[in-house]
Amino acid sequence: MNNSSAKYSLTLKNIIYSEWIKFTSTPSAWFTLLGVVAAMTAFGTVAAFGGSIPGSTFLSSESDPVYRVLIGSRGSILMLGILGVMIGSREYSSGLIQTTFAATPARLPILAGQILAAVTAIVPVATLASFLAFTVGMAAMQSSGNPTVALSDAGALRAALGCAAYLTGAGVFGIGLGNLLRSPISGTGLIFGGFVAAPGLATSLIPSSWTWALAYLPSEAGASLTALTPTSNLLSVETGALVFLAWVVLAVIAGGASMLRRDV
Amino acid sequence: MIEVQGLVKRYGSAKAVDNVSFTVKPGQVTGFLGPNGAGKSTTMRLILGLAQPDAGQALVNGRLLRDSAAPIAEVGALIDGRAFDRGRSARAHLRAVAATIGIANARVDEVLEFVGLTSVANKNAGGFSLGMGQRLGIATALLADPQIIMLDEPINGLDLDGIAWIRKLLRKLADEGRTVFISSHLMSEMEIIADHLIVVGRGKVLADTTLEEFTASSGARVVMVETPEAPRLARQISAPGVEVESLDSTTLKITGLSGRQVGEAAAKAQVTLHQLTDQRPSLEEAYARLTSDAVQFRARVA
C-alpha cells in the first residue's frame, strides 16, 4: 500500500479552500464585483439627482430617500445572480464537474464550498458598495435639494446592511439555480426573466387584482430590505426578508438535490 | 485494484453497460478496448461514482470510491482532456484539485514539470490544444501519486512524441506496481501499450485476456521463407498439421509452425535461408472480427 492516501484527506475545509481557489482564479468574478460597486454608486447618484438633471426624472417621484439611493441594487442582483449561476453551472458545461465530483464523491460539500467562497468575496464588496452608494447618494440628494437621511437615523443602517444581504442572497440564489439547471445559458435566462422581465412585464400581463403576487418574486421581496419604509407594492421589511430567504434556501436545496441525484 | 461486478447502466431502454464484470490488477497495463459507444466511458464513470449503476457495483481497492478518505489519492483519473474551465490557468486548475485533499503547491509545480507544461502553466487551460489538455488531465490524475491510474482515451490528440512519452509513463507506473487502466477504440494503440486486454462491445465484455493470448487466439500464424532450396525445406518440415504452400520457386508460405521451428528445421537440414518472416496475424483484424457485431455506429455507403 502506498502512504499517499494516508497522508492526505478530504475535509470540508479543504473543499471550501478548493472552491475559493476556483473563485479567485476566475477573472470574470472580479469584474462582476467591480461592476457591482460601480453600478451601486452610479445608479444611486443618478437617482439622487433625478429631477434636477434636465431631462432625467429617474426615480424623482420616489419618496423613500434610502430606497432611492440604493436603487443600484436592482442591477446588481442581476449581475450577482448571473455570477452565481456561472459558479454553479459552468463546470457542467465544460465537463470539469467530472473531475470535481470524482475528487469529492459526496458532492454536497462542493455546494457548501461554492456558497462559502462566493459569500466570503461578495459580503465585503456588497457592504462596501451599499455604504458607498448611501454616502455618495445622500450627498447628491442634499446638493440637489432633496430630503436626506443619515446613517444614524432609524432604519437607515438596517437598509444599508439589508441591501448588502439582498446582493449576497442573489449570488447564493444563482449558485443553487446554476447547480439545478446545469446550463449557464438557461440559468442566466431565468435570472434575467425572474429578476427583470417578470416583475416588469407581469404588471401589464396579469389582472390588476393579482399584482400583489409580484411582491413575492425574489427580486421584489428582497427589494423591501433596501427601503426605509417599503411602498405599498412591496412587502414589509420582515415579510420581504423571510420570503427572499425562502427563495434562496429553496434554490440551494433544489441545487443540492440535483447535484446528489443526477449523473454527470 | 478495480473490481467491477455485474454493472448495468441503462439509458432509456438501451443498456449502455450490460452486466459487465472484470478485475483490473496492479502491476500491469490493462487496456479497455472497444468501438465508440461500447460503454467504456460509462463504465469508467460508474467506477468513479459519476453515474449511478442500475445494478452491480464497482469497487476501488475493495470499497466504493465515495468511502475513500482521499479519493484522488486512491484513483487518479482522466475522463475528458478538454474539460477545463475557460479563463482559469493550468496551475490554478491543478491547485484547486490539489486543495481538496491538502496537496501542497510544490507538488502542483512538480506534476506540471513532469508532463511538460511548466512554460504554459499560467496560460488559460480552456485554450489548450487537445494534446496539451491530455497532458494537463494526466497531471491532474497523477497529483496525489495514486495507486490506481485510470485514463479514458489518453492517447487521443497526442503527437508521436506524446505517444512515446505516455507509453513510457504507463509502463513505469505499472512496473512500480500500480494499477493502470486505459481505454481506447484503437487496437494499434493498445498493441503498443497494454499487457492485458478487456474488449467490450455494445456494453458487454467480449474478451478478457492477455495481449499474447488475444494474438494467439486470433488466427493461425504464418511464416514466410525465402530459400534457394525451397523443395528440400518443404520436404524437411512436412508433418501432419503443417501446411506448406509454394508461392514461387524460392518462396514458401508455411502455416502451423512458428518462425523459430522453421529456422531450426532449416539449420538442421543445412538449408540456406535468405529470409524468414514470422507473420503475426494482424491484431487489428482480430479486433475487427471480435467487435464486428458490436459496432454501434457504422457509416453506411449509399
Side-chain angles (χ1 to χ4, degrees), chain B residues 41 103 225:
Chain B
S41 295
I103 299 171
V225 185

Side-chain angles (χ1 to χ4, degrees), chain A residues 1-2 4-5 8-11 14-15 17-18 21-22 25-27 90-91 94-96 98-99 101-105 107 263-264, chain B residues 9 45 49-52 66 69-73 79 83-88 92-93 95-96 99-103 140 144-145 147:
Chain A
M1 235 4 246
N2 66 327
S4 67
S5 39
Y8 302 122
S9 69
L10 184 69
T11 63
N14 282 338
I15 295 162
Y17 181 54
S18 167
I21 294 172
K22 288 183 188 171
S25 59
T26 309
R90 61 187 289 155
E91 291 194 11
S94 68
L96 182 60
Q98 302 195 109
T99 303
F101 281 1
T104 307
R107 300 187 183 184
D263 292 349
V264 292
Chain B
K9 181 67 181 176
R45 284 169 52 243
L50 300 175
Q52 287 309 307
R66 67 164 177 263
I72 58 167
I79 291 295
F84 305 103
D85 247 5
R86 296 222 146 263
R88 186 171 303 136
H93 161 78
R95 284 189 176 179
T100 56
I101 59 165
I103 299 171
T140 313
D145 200 21
Q147 275 302 101

Side-chain angles (χ1 to χ4, degrees), chain B residues 227-251:
Chain B
T227 164
E229 304 167 85
R232 198 151 76 81
L233 180 63
R235 274 196 305 279
Q236 187 66 29
I237 57 175
S238 128
V242 178
E243 205 177 293
V244 182
E245 192 183 334
S246 193
L247 296 186
D248 58 45
S249 60
T250 59
T251 314

Side-chain angles (χ1 to χ4, degrees), chain A residues 63-110:
Chain A
S63 59
D64 186 332
V66 176
Y67 183 76
R68 191 162 160 179
V69 299
L70 295 179
I71 197 63
S73 59
R74 293 308 192 116
S76 299
I77 57 160
L78 198 62
M79 288 192 270
L80 290 167
I82 291 167
L83 174 64
V85 162
M86 295 310 288
I87 292 169
S89 67
R90 61 187 289 155
E91 291 194 11
Y92 296 94
S93 60
S94 68
L96 182 60
I97 199 70
Q98 302 195 109
T99 303
T100 302
F101 281 1
T104 307
R107 300 187 183 184
L108 274 191
I110 298 160

